[in-house]
Amino acid sequence: MSDATEITIDDLKRIMRESAGEDESIDLDGDILEVPFAELGYDSLALLEAAGRITREYGVSLRDDELDGVETPRAFLDAVNAALVRV
Amino acid sequence: MSTASAVVTGLGVVAPNGMDTEAYWTAVLDGRSAIAPITRFDASRYPVSLAGEVRDFTAKDHIPSRLLPQTDHMTRLSLYAADKALADSQVDLGGLPEFAAGVSSASTMGGFEFGQRELENLWSKGGQFVSAYQSFAWFYAVNTGQVSIRHGLRGPGSALVTDQAGGLDAVGNARRQIRKGATLMVTGGVDGALCPLGLVGQLTSGELSTSTDPARAYLPFSADADGHVPGEGGAYLVLEEAAAARRRGARVYGELAGYAATFDPGTDGTPRTGLERAIRRALDDAQVRPEQIDVVFADAAAVPDLDRAEAEALAAVFGPRAVPVTAPKNTTGRLYAGGASLDLATALLSIRDGVIPRTPNVEACAPDHPIDLVVGEPRTADIGRALVVARGRGGFNAAAVVRRAS
Amino acid sequence: MNRRVVITGIGAVAPGESGVKKYWELISSGRTATRIISSFDSTAFRSRVAAECDFDPVESGLGQREIRRMDRASQFAVAATREALADSGLDLAHADRERIGVSFGSAVGCTTSMEREYAVLSDGGAEWLVDHDYAITQLYDHFVPSSIAVEVARVAGAQGPVTLVSDGCTSGLDAVGHGADLIREGSADIVVSGGTDAPISPITVACFDAIKATTPRNDEPGQASRPFDATRNGLVLGEGAAVLVLEELEHARRRGATIYAEVAGFGTRCNAYHMTGLRADGTEMAEAIRLALTEARLAPEAIGYVNAHGSSTKQNDRHETAAIKTALGEHAYRVPVSSIKSMIGHSLGAIGALELVACVLAMQYSLIPPTANLHEPDPVCDLDYVPLTAREARVDAVLSVGSGFGGFQSAVVLARPERTAA
C-alpha cells in the first residue's frame, strides 16, 4: 500500500486505465482535468471500480456521499485528496 | 405462438483448434486435435492436466479496452464469437425493427476464473479488495448481457443452464422466441472454466480422463474410452426468421427443423429412456423419418456407460449401424455449454460441403456399440439432414435436427 | 389450438418462517423480516442487513442425504416444490411424467456452498492452485446450477423438458414465463416453475458492497429496505424460494383442480444499455409490460394491482415508476403499486417467483400487501404505493415486473380463474 498523501492526475489516469480500460476514441493523455467522465467514456461503475482500487492502494475509503456529484477528474482528485488528508 | 421456421444465417466459432469457422472446419476435416497440456496455470499437480485451450486468442486484439477489466476470459471469447456470427450473417441490425433481435445463451459455471480471483481477494485480503465487476462478471447471465449490450440487441434475452445440454436448449429457445415474434436471435454457448477451481470442480464429475497422452485422452465409443477432456470455446449462431432472411437475401446455412428436450430423473428405478425420447421427438418436430437423417453428431461422453446408453438409443431409433455417427468434438475437448452449439455449427458445415468429419484417434468403434462410427477418413456424402445430440449431468437430454434450406 | 396456462399449486420458503401461510401472514401484516446477518460474521462489510429464512431442512421434510447433497438454494427449492405439489393435489404416481417439465430460476445458484468449498480448497484463500484432495463429490453440482433443476425434477418425477433459467434478478419471473411457454407450445402439460436463491454469503455481500447497491442502514435493520421512499439508499439482500405449479387449463379442469389464477401474459426485453445501470426512461421495461398485456389480451385498465420490482435503490425505483407510467398511461396513477421487497428483501433469482405467489394470494384474499417503510415518498416516485398497511381490494388481474443485472426487464400478468370459465 502506498503512503502517498496526494494523488495526481497521472496517478488517476493510470488507475482509470487499470480499472476500466480506455475508450479507443479518446486521448487520456490530453488535458482532461475538466472533461466530464461521461465524455471520457467512463460510467459510474468505472468510477466505483477506480474508487475501490484507490482504497486498496492508498488505504483511503471514500464515503458514499463523497462520490455523489463527482463528474470530472478534478472533482475526483479533490475528493480523494481530501480523504487522504483526513487519514 | 406461430410455427415460423428459423434458419441459421451466421456462424461464429471460437474453438481450440480454430479461431474462426473455416480454420476450425479445416482442422476438423484434417482430424487435427488441440488437446494438449494446460498452459493457463500449472496443472501438473492435478490428476487431469490436458485440455483444449483456445491458445491463439489475444484478448486486447479483439475486445475493446473498456471491456477488458470487467470480463472473464470466456466472456471475451463469447463477445468475439458473437461478433463473428453477426458479421458472417451480414445482417444490418440497425435496419431491424426495435426489439426484434435478442440473445439466448447457455452457461454452466459462468465467469469462473474471474470469480476465483475475487474469492481469493475476499478470503485472503478482505471485502474491500473485491472488484465492482464481480457482481456480474462471474454470474451465469453475463454473456447474454454483454452480447446484448455490445450489439444493441433489445429483444428477448435469456441464459439457460442445463449443463452440457445447454448448447442445444439455448438454440431451441431462440427458435421459440422467433415463433413468439423475434426476427433474429444470437444464440448458442461459448464456455469454459479452465482455472484451478474450475478444473477441480470438473474433476468431481468423475467423467474426466486421467490420461496424459493427448491422442488417448478422449476416445468416444472406443473400447479404450475412459472419460473425456475439458475444453473452452463454442459457437454462436445467428438464427433468423426464415421469411425475413429470404427477404434480405441472406446466405442460409440451414434450418433448425426440429428440437426437443427430455429428462431422466433416475428415481424409483425409472428407466433412462429420455435420450431416445428426445431424439424421436426432435425428428417428429422436424417431420422427418429416421431414415431421412444422414448423419448424427453424438454427445460422445467417452464414459463407457454413457457411450453405451447413447449407442443403444441411436440404434433403437435408427436401427443398428444404420446411420453414420461422428464425434469430432474429441478434437476440442468438451466445451460444456458451448459444445453442442459448436456441434450444430459443424453439422451445418457438413451439410454445406457434403462431408462427414471423422472421430479422430479412435481406431474402431467398440464392437458392443451398435453404431456406424465414422473413423479413419472423412466420408463424402450428400447430407440433407443432420441430428445433434447432447446430454447434461443429472438427466438432461436434448436433440436437434438441422436441414439444408429449401 | 389455444392452450392456456393456469396455476394449480403454490409453495414458498420466504424470509421468516417457511410455508405459504407464514409468508402471507408476514407480507399482509406489513411486518419486515430484515435483520443483521446471522449466517456469518458480517462485521467487516458495508451492508450487514439481510432478510433471512428461518429454515430448518429437517422440519421442512428433507432427508439427511438430501441435506448433505444440496446447497441451501436447492434445499429451499425442494421444500417449496413439495409444498406446491401437495397443494396442487396432483397424483404424481399416476401422472404422465413425460408431460411434466421444470422451469426454475436462480441468479447465483449454489453460491453459498461454492464459497464454503472454495475456502477449504484454497485454505482460506491462500492458494491459487487449490487442493483437489479436499474436493467433495458434490463440487461440480455446486458449481453448475442446473443441479437445482435436477433436484426439483426428481421431486416431481419430471421426464419432460427441464431447465434452469439464470437471467439475474428476473430469473424467477422468466422461469415462470418460460414454463408457461412450454405448456402453450405443447411441450408439457404440467411445469413446476419458480425460483430460488440463497445468496447471503460473504462473496455476494462483498460484491454488492463494491457497487454500493446494498443499503448501509445497519442501525435500523427493520427499516433498511424502503422502496420509493425519499431516504432509500440501497437494497437489502434476501433469500428463499417459491414454486408455482403451472398446468394446461383443460388438464387442470379434467382433474377438478383448484385453479388459483391464469398465467395470462409474459414479456421480456433487454435494455442493451449497461450491465448494472438502467436507462432513466424505462423504455424496455415498459415494452415488456406492453408485451405481457398484449399476450393477456388485457387493456392497462384491467390491471388491479402492480407488484413492483421496487428494490429500494435510487435508480431502480425511478426507472420502474417511469416504465409503469409509460406502459399503463393514466391508469398508472390509479392502480395500487407495492413492493414486498420492503419486507422480505431482494432474493435475486427467487424474488420474481415469491412476488408471483404474493400476487396469487392478493387475488385470492382480495388484499394488497403494502410497501413497508414508505413514510416520505420520493417526489419522482408519485404513484400509489400502498404505504405501510395492506389494502382490501378485489383484484381481477395483476402485473408483476422485474429488472436485473445484464439489462433484463420482464413482466408477467396473472388473471383471476373466473376469467377462464368461458
Side-chain angles (χ1 to χ4, degrees):
Chain A
M1 194 187 297
S2 162
D3 54 3
T5 55
E6 188 182 51
I7 74 164
T8 65
I9 184 68
D10 289 331
D11 295 328
L12 181 59
K13 284 176 185 173
R14 173 183 58 77
I15 287 162
M16 293 311 300
R17 283 188 173 115
E18 286 170 3
S19 53
E22 61 188 311
D23 194 302
E24 276 77 0
S25 64
I26 286 153
D27 178 18
L28 282 190
D29 291 324
D31 181 8
I32 59 162
L33 266 176
E34 304 291 351
V35 183
F37 281 113
E39 286 178 29
L40 296 172
Y42 294 121
D43 53 17
S44 60
L45 190 63
L47 294 187
L48 281 167
E49 179 71 0
R53 206 165 274 250
I54 284 167
T55 301
R56 302 192 277 271
E57 272 191 38
Y58 297 90
V60 56
S61 278
L62 292 166
R63 286 194 312 266
D64 285 5
D65 58 334
E66 285 175 312
L67 272 182
D68 287 349
V70 166
E71 287 180 0
T72 62
R74 185 186 295 282
F76 194 92
L77 287 174
D78 288 348
V80 173
N81 287 326
L84 277 168
V85 170
R86 196 167 63 221
V87 288
Chain B
M1 213 173 287
S2 75
T3 54
S5 60
V7 294
V8 177
T9 58
L11 297 178
V13 168
V14 57
N17 54 351
M19 279 270 292
D20 61 45
T21 303
E22 299 310 324
Y24 160 75
W25 182 229
T26 303
V28 163
L29 290 178
D30 292 348
R32 207 159 60 239
S33 166
I35 290 170
I38 290 172
T39 61
R40 292 171 61 77
F41 58 94
D42 176 8
S44 59
R45 65 180 295 172
Y46 299 115
V48 170
S49 56
L50 299 178
E53 295 176 311
V54 182
R55 295 224 179 132
D56 299 333
F57 184 77
T58 306
K60 66 177 172 48
D61 293 346
H62 305 288
I63 306 298
S65 161
R66 281 286 283 109
L67 286 176
L68 289 175
Q70 60 172 270
T71 43
D72 180 78
H73 176 66
M74 68 95 207
T75 296
R76 297 171 184 172
L77 294 176
S78 197
L79 286 163
Y80 168 84
D83 284 356
K84 290 269 181 192
L86 282 164
D88 186 45
S89 78
Q90 299 190 312
V91 71
D92 170 21
L93 289 172
L96 294 177
E98 209 179 2
F99 307 113
V103 187
S104 171
S105 83
S107 169
T108 57
M109 292 194 191
F112 217 68
E113 184 181 23
F114 197 108
Q116 184 183 349
R117 201 167 58 234
E118 297 310 322
L119 281 166
E120 184 168 285
N121 285 337
L122 170 64
W123 280 82
S124 66
K125 297 185 223 161
Q128 289 194 318
F129 286 79
V130 172
S131 163
Y133 305 128
Q134 165 68 5
S135 59
F136 59 84
W138 157 71
F139 86 151
Y140 310 104
V142 63
N143 292 347
T144 292
Q146 291 284 19
V147 169
S148 146
I149 292 167
R150 183 151 166 77
H151 297 285
L153 305 172
R154 296 162 73 208
S158 69
L160 302 183
V161 186
T162 54
D163 194 46
Q164 301 195 42
L168 291 188
D169 289 332
V171 178
N173 185 52
R175 187 184 64 167
R176 179 178 296 117
Q177 299 310 320
I178 285 173
R179 289 180 169 177
K180 290 187 75 180
T183 303
L184 179 150
M185 298 290 292
V186 175
T187 183
V190 172
D191 203 10
L194 293 177
C195 61
L197 189 61
L199 181 66
V200 168
Q202 291 164 60
L203 283 174
T204 65
S205 74
E207 295 179 0
L208 298 192
S209 166
T210 53
S211 171
T212 53
D213 177 357
R216 305 286 300 161
Y218 185 5
L219 300 172
F221 301 112
S222 157
D224 297 330
D226 73 338
H228 51 250
V229 175
E232 61 182 6
Y236 282 118
L237 286 62
V238 173
L239 194 70
E240 203 168 342
E241 198 264 315
R246 201 179 311 121
R247 275 197 301 277
R248 73 176 181 90
R251 182 256 331 265
V252 172
Y253 286 98
E255 179 191 0
L256 178 65
Y259 159 77
T262 65
F263 188 80
D264 286 311
T267 46
D268 322 336
T270 32
R272 291 184 172 271
T273 57
L275 187 61
E276 184 184 332
R277 282 189 292 119
I279 295 168
R280 288 190 190 281
R281 284 185 189 173
L283 296 179
D284 287 349
D285 186 42
Q287 298 182 299
V288 299
R289 296 183 307 278
E291 60 270 26
Q292 293 176 296
I293 295 291
D294 299 312
V295 60
V296 176
F297 287 81
D299 177 60
V303 174
D305 287 350
L306 292 171
D307 280 357
R308 181 170 302 109
E310 184 171 24
E312 285 171 0
L314 290 171
V317 174
F318 295 98
R321 301 179 182 82
V323 62
V325 176
T326 191
K329 64 177 47 159
N330 76 340
T331 62
T332 63
R334 287 181 81 82
L335 309 182
Y336 292 83
S341 303
L342 183 59
D343 283 342
L344 274 177
T346 314
L348 290 162
L349 295 166
S350 272
I351 289 172
R352 184 190 72 181
D353 292 351
V355 56
I356 302 173
R358 64 187 183 276
T359 310
N361 295 330
V362 177
E363 281 166 26
C365 184
D368 55 335
H369 295 328
I371 55 169
D372 171 19
L373 188 70
V374 179
V375 295
E377 288 301 319
R379 288 188 204 168
T380 307
D382 181 41
I383 300 163
R385 298 175 191 84
L387 172 75
V388 178
V389 174
R391 289 175 292 189
R393 180 180 172 81
F396 298 94
N397 308 290
V401 174
V402 286
R403 72 172 153 226
R404 187 187 293 137
S406 48
Chain C
M1 191 175 58
N2 226 342
R3 289 165 61 90
R4 295 169 69 175
V5 182
V6 293
I7 297 164
T8 57
I10 53 175
V13 173
E17 292 179 73
S18 296
V20 167
K21 186 167 176 287
K22 294 292 181 185
Y23 172 46
W24 182 243
E25 281 175 16
L26 176 78
I27 61 172
S28 59
S29 72
R31 284 181 290 124
T32 65
T34 51
R35 64 190 184 200
I36 292 292
I37 292 172
S38 70
S39 59
F40 65 94
D41 178 3
S42 63
T43 314
F45 294 91
R46 174 180 177 274
S47 178
R48 304 194 292 277
V49 194
E52 295 174 319
C53 296
D54 295 318
F55 175 78
D56 181 330
V58 175
E59 254 177 42
S60 295
L62 273 83
Q64 289 301 322
R65 289 180 183 173
E66 289 179 321
I67 294 167
R68 168 70 63 84
R69 185 172 78 223
M70 293 183 208
D71 178 70
R72 186 169 168 87
S74 293
Q75 294 179 14
F76 289 167
V78 163
T81 297
R82 289 202 172 117
E83 184 184 21
L85 285 171
D87 184 47
S88 75
L90 276 168
D91 177 8
L92 289 176
H94 297 95
D96 180 357
R97 295 185 177 196
E98 295 182 10
R99 301 291 300 163
I100 302 178
V102 170
S103 175
F104 227 83
S106 182
V108 298
C110 307
T111 193
T112 306
S113 298
M114 180 191 71
E115 180 169 14
R116 183 189 63 229
E117 297 308 319
Y118 163 77
V120 175
L121 293 165
S122 66
D123 203 12
E127 291 175 8
W128 177 251
L129 296 174
V130 295
D131 190 342
H132 63 278
D133 283 342
Y134 288 89
I136 59 171
T137 53
Q138 296 85 5
L139 198 64
Y140 186 87
D141 292 329
H142 290 333
F143 287 1
V144 184
S146 46
S147 61
I148 295 170
V150 169
E151 294 293 356
V152 171
R154 284 180 182 165
V155 172
Q159 296 181 5
V162 171
T163 300
L164 185 100
V165 178
S166 194
D167 298 348
C169 298
T170 61
S171 298
L173 283 182
D174 291 355
V176 174
H178 180 75
D181 282 348
L182 290 175
I183 293 175
R184 281 198 196 102
E185 74 185 17
S187 297
D189 295 325
I190 295 164
V191 172
V192 179
S193 73
T196 187
D197 259 318
I200 306 169
S201 71
I203 188 66
T204 321
V205 170
C207 77
F208 282 110
D209 267 6
I211 52 172
K212 302 184 195 269
T214 39
T215 177
R217 198 185 293 266
N218 300 312
D219 49 347
E220 306 170 294
Q223 295 166 53
S225 180
R226 34 201 321 117
F228 309 109
D229 192 273
T231 63
R232 71 188 184 280
N233 57 3
L235 62 86
V236 169
L237 266 183
E239 60 174 355
V243 171
L244 301 97
V245 176
L246 308 181
E247 199 166 342
E248 193 271 325
L249 173 62
E250 295 306 322
H251 189 279
R253 276 190 182 146
R254 273 198 302 278
R255 68 179 186 91
T258 302
I259 295 173
Y260 284 105
E262 178 178 10
V263 182
F266 166 56
T268 183
R269 288 292 178 251
C270 291
N271 69 13
Y273 172 66
H274 196 275
M275 288 301 286
T276 60
L278 297 166
R279 252 193 214 104
D281 63 9
T283 301
E284 293 81 12
M285 181 184 274
E287 178 65 17
I289 295 171
R290 278 198 208 104
L291 269 177
L293 286 171
T294 303
E295 190 170 80
R297 296 184 199 169
L298 290 175
E301 292 70 29
I303 298 297
Y305 166 48
V306 177
N307 184 291
H309 185 63
S311 64
S312 185
T313 66
K314 277 265 180 291
Q315 77 162 354
N316 173 78
D317 297 359
R318 291 179 177 192
H319 164 267
E320 179 171 16
T321 298
I324 293 169
K325 290 181 192 173
T326 303
L328 301 187
E330 279 301 308
H331 186 62
Y333 292 94
R334 294 189 292 267
V335 67
V337 179
S338 76
S339 169
I340 61 170
K341 290 189 185 73
S342 56
M343 298 173 279
I344 61 166
H346 187 355
S347 45
L348 310 185
I351 192 67
L354 278 163
E355 287 169 338
L356 285 175
V357 167
C359 290
V360 165
L361 296 167
M363 282 195 280
Q364 188 181 16
Y365 294 114
S366 293
L367 188 70
I368 293 172
T371 304
N373 297 326
L374 176 53
H375 296 285
E376 184 192 336
D378 180 338
V380 182
C381 300
D382 55 351
L383 302 178
D384 171 9
Y385 301 106
V386 195
L388 306 178
T389 50
R391 185 184 301 168
E392 288 183 20
R394 183 186 158 91
V395 176
D396 292 321
V398 300
L399 166 69
S400 192
V401 296
S403 176
F405 283 5
F408 302 101
Q409 313 296 330
S410 298
V412 169
V413 170
L414 305 182
R416 262 192 191 275
E418 291 88 295
R419 206 180 80 112
T420 63

